[in-house]
Amino acid sequence: MHTNRFKQITGAQRVRLARLPLAAAICLAMAAPALAQDAGQAGASTAAPATKSKTTTLSVVNVTAQKRTENLQKVPISINVLETDQLEALHVQNFNDYVKYLPSVTFQQGGGGIATGPGFATIYMRGVASGGNTNHSGSQPSVGVYLDDQPVTTIQGPLDIHMYDIARIEVLAGPQGTLYGASAEAGALRIITNKPDPSGFAASYALGVDKVAHGGIGSTAEGMLNIPVSKSAAVRIVGWHEHDAGYIDNQAGSRTFPVSGITVSNADNCTPGAMLECFGHARKHYNDANTNGARAALKVDLNDSWSITPTVMGQQTISHGSFASDPAVGDLAVTHFYPERVDDRWWQGALTVQGKIGNFDLTYAYAHLKRNQEEATDYNDYSFWYDTLLSYGAYINDNSGNLINPSEFINDRDRYTNSSHELRIASPNDDRLRLVAGAFWQKQKHDIMQDYQINNLATSLSVAGWPNTIWLTRQMRYDRDKSVFGELSYDIVPDTLTATVGERYFRTSNNLYGFYGFSKGFSPNSSYGEAGCISPDPFAGAPCLDFNKHVKESGSLSKFNLTWNITPTKMVYLTRSEGFRPGGVNRAGQLPPYQADFLTNLELGWKTSWFDNRLSFNGAVFREKWNDFQFNILGANGLTQIKNANSARIDGLESQLNWQATYNLNLSTGIAFYDAKLTANYCGFTDANGNAVTYCPAGTINQSTGAVVAGPLAPKGTQLPITPRFKGNLIARYTFTVGGSDAFVQAAFVHVGRRTTDLRLLERSLLGDLPAYNSVDLSAGIQHGSWSVDTYVDNVFDTRGAMYKFTECGVTVCGAHNVVAQYPNGQVYTGFSQPRTFGIRFKQDF
């Protein structure tokens, strides 16, 4: 997917601006309400290039996927790339905007009462997805996300970085274990920023406004300032503000708890009574979000061989409400009773040092990430369904012994810290024998606090020192990763046949300890919580320490690749690669730890250019074997449980075609076909050594619980969830001239096939499938000199594309059939694609 750029500022214009006094140039840039990006790529000049001549050839795209700068068409990896001009033309601002144009990528949100807004996505690639529960206490991700060279993935999910002043997004499909290591098991997604440029002053700003159907009005202000400090140093400052309009309504409603007879209402005009409690949080456009962020980078060329680039970047997103709706309430609607709010703020300090030792390139990349998430979440569903089915409310009383409203709400806080170092060396690109080698070290800390509260709860039922708290999680998690890696390439026949071997040796560890559970008064015989204390001393404000577990793993990953350049424009390659995801300790400490899972990939790919580089046709067919894969489910008490689930196989085909049909018409398409299935039964339990049990006909005894099982929860041949069998997109862009100005029209079509929601057949039937859907985006714009205006309509036909489904409590409870007439299928939330959105954007360069 590569399109020709709009007309840019001419070279003469750039020179005139560069000659302005610095103070005047800064004032000129700051005269606008906000600053915006230049379209240059990383390391390229930030000043706009001269107007491009009309051409019928595709532009050259350079990537750094293999830790060195290379032409995309020469890299033997299945890669999708979205460049600056494409990100702008598609109006990409966040994760949801760009993931729909990546056929190999899917995602999931929600589960266990967690928020479902920005920053809460679990990313999957190539069908390597087991579904189940996704939240902050789950496995490490199977897809690694990187900001430049630094990892930005936390256990909760990757940072949802505002896509502004971005050079490109590189999506590397398949195991990237040798160069990227843990959490790049199924692939890696790299966000490459534009870098400071000492060659000239540049600035720009962009302002946008949009209207969401069934919702409110959003806005965006973005700006960029590139200031040369000297001939060898420059500062680049970037800032943005984004207001995303809400479109899901919190409708007024009520709910009566069957045990106590107490009714709760969220209507604003509710009058409290003896058996009626009023909350008053109903409102329209419930799920709005505000994002503010900035990035500052300094690049200093110490000499012709060495440079240093420190960067500081931060962002805060405050969102409200729920980003998934309850179809039983209405279209794009929920009925929630307690306030819902997420404050997700993070900052990252990074340092990159690049230089040469002889003719070898040396790179050191360091990053320190701090991310704090504070949430307030309505957990009324959990209380209602447990009361309806299990008489939960009979155990909830005040200090006088009277039954009270058992509704729960959550106040929680997650603090993530991630420090990483990578040192690597690379030999010259043009050597016949080429080497990339290095060492990587990473330490992640996750400070967890989840406070489940019930108003007026009896002191005896509350966790000691935490009034009204029926359940408390107060835990510390540490994940450490140390590794050395290398890839060696040799041109067996120069410019024709190349062999590459790679290896990564790793040592990982996971330590989880702390407190989780009820008070002794609520659960006196529990093996965890206050009744299960293993230490009399308080732990981080909690009553005690009730578990402390640690696991360590080590091993190696390998890669082999054979690349045949049939001609200078046509290449085929064969790759065998491996990836892994570390094991760890379950948040529910009474459960055994889970083991690492491994992915082995055998891939045949091709990259070709045709008709004097007017058309490129790339693709790959592959088979991946996923062994001992980690499966996250929502278990007892709403706690995530992670178990290994034996093996699966994914057969697939991916392809991208880009055609510069004429000098003003560009067509591009990307498709992906996947056949992802279990290759052994999933029985739902493990043996005494933690290995998945695969033989479990009806009548088998679960040795862990003593229960008699009814057979496999998912038999051999079951389709893996979340990923469709087919996903594809088609983009057509036509440019033309109107009265001396450049103009364009563009249409983008996306198809996503039917997906299942869970690996387990019963839970899948209760949640229901995610139907196939189509989406169409249209845009048009005009550019004259240094300014441009474009308008767009996303989701033209206002399609309700179902992205994910979840329940607050276990599916067999919340999703139980025929419980009450109001919710014949329990209470299942669906996250839909954003409704039809009209927008207009103005941009100006200086």
Side-chain angles (χ1 to χ4, degrees), residues 263-286:
T263 299
V264 296
S265 170
N266 69 345
D268 292 330
N269 59 355
C270 174
T271 302
M275 300 294 287
L276 177 64
E277 295 189 13
C278 303
F279 295 91
H281 295 290
R283 68 178 178 89
K284 286 185 172 294
H285 313 162
Y286 189 45

Side-chain angles (χ1 to χ4, degrees), residues 535-549:
S535 168
D537 299 323
F539 171 77
C544 66
L545 189 74
D546 63 6
F547 84 108
N548 186 353
K549 292 187 177 181

Side-chain angles (χ1 to χ4, degrees), residues 432-451:
R432 186 172 183 179
L433 180 65
R434 298 178 296 280
L435 170 71
V436 174
F440 178 79
W441 177 92
Q442 179 176 243
K443 178 182 178 180
Q444 300 182 73
K445 177 184 177 182
H446 182 191
D447 183 343
I448 308 167
M449 189 283 289
Q450 286 196 314
D451 184 3

Side-chain angles (χ1 to χ4, degrees), residues 115-378:
T116 58
F120 289 88
T122 300
I123 304 175
Y124 306 112
M125 291 182 68
R126 282 192 167 179
V128 182
S130 58
N133 182 243
T134 62
N135 66 22
H136 66 176
S137 55
S139 306
Q140 289 201 40
S142 62
V143 174
V145 179
Y146 296 80
L147 179 63
D148 294 318
D149 272 337
Q150 293 81 11
V152 290
T153 303
T154 64
I155 300 301
Q156 177 65 73
L159 306 178
D160 194 353
I161 299 169
H162 182 80
M163 290 290 103
Y164 174 66
D165 196 48
I166 301 299
R168 64 186 181 277
I169 299 174
E170 299 178 5
V171 183
L172 288 61
Q176 300 297 324
T178 52
L179 289 183
Y180 292 92
S183 294
E185 177 183 42
L189 192 155
R190 306 179 68 236
I191 300 168
I192 311 299
T193 61
N194 287 318
K195 304 301 187 294
D197 181 7
S199 66
F201 173 85
S204 61
Y205 71 92
L207 300 172
V209 64
D210 60 75
K211 174 64 173 71
V212 182
H214 320 283
I217 296 176
S219 60
T220 305
E222 304 164 319
M224 180 278 296
L225 186 65
N226 187 89
I227 306 173
V229 179
S230 68
K231 292 182 178 180
S232 59
V235 174
R236 192 179 190 94
I237 302 172
V238 183
W240 56 88
H241 167 77
E242 177 185 355
H243 171 68
D244 295 321
Y247 52 88
I248 293 177
D249 297 337
N250 189 15
Q251 292 188 2
S254 62
R255 156 179 282 175
T256 300
F257 287 87
V259 170
S260 64
I262 292 174
T263 299
V264 296
S265 170
N266 69 345
D268 292 330
N269 59 355
C270 174
T271 302
M275 300 294 287
L276 177 64
E277 295 189 13
C278 303
F279 295 91
H281 295 290
R283 68 178 178 89
K284 286 185 172 294
H285 313 162
Y286 189 45
N287 62 321
D288 64 316
N290 289 289
T291 299
N292 295 285
R295 183 176 78 245
L298 168 68
K299 185 174 188 293
V300 179
D301 295 324
L302 303 176
N303 53 39
D304 292 340
S305 300
W306 288 86
S307 68
I308 181 170
T309 308
T311 304
V312 176
M313 183 175 181
Q315 180 175 287
Q316 181 180 39
T317 299
I318 297 177
S319 59
H320 304 94
S322 171
F323 285 74
S325 60
D326 183 352
V329 173
D331 181 40
L332 300 177
V334 296
T335 296
H336 285 179
F337 301 90
Y338 291 90
E340 295 180 290
R341 181 180 186 270
V342 176
D343 184 350
D344 182 7
R345 57 190 185 275
W346 57 266
W347 68 268
Q348 183 193 62
L351 175 67
T352 302
V353 179
Q354 295 176 302
K356 285 186 175 294
I357 298 179
N359 61 350
F360 280 66
D361 293 321
L362 183 71
T363 302
Y364 169 70
Y366 163 77
H368 182 74
L369 171 68
K370 290 184 70 70
R371 182 184 192 184
N372 290 338
Q373 290 178 321
E374 297 177 0
E375 303 172 47
T377 306
D378 180 281

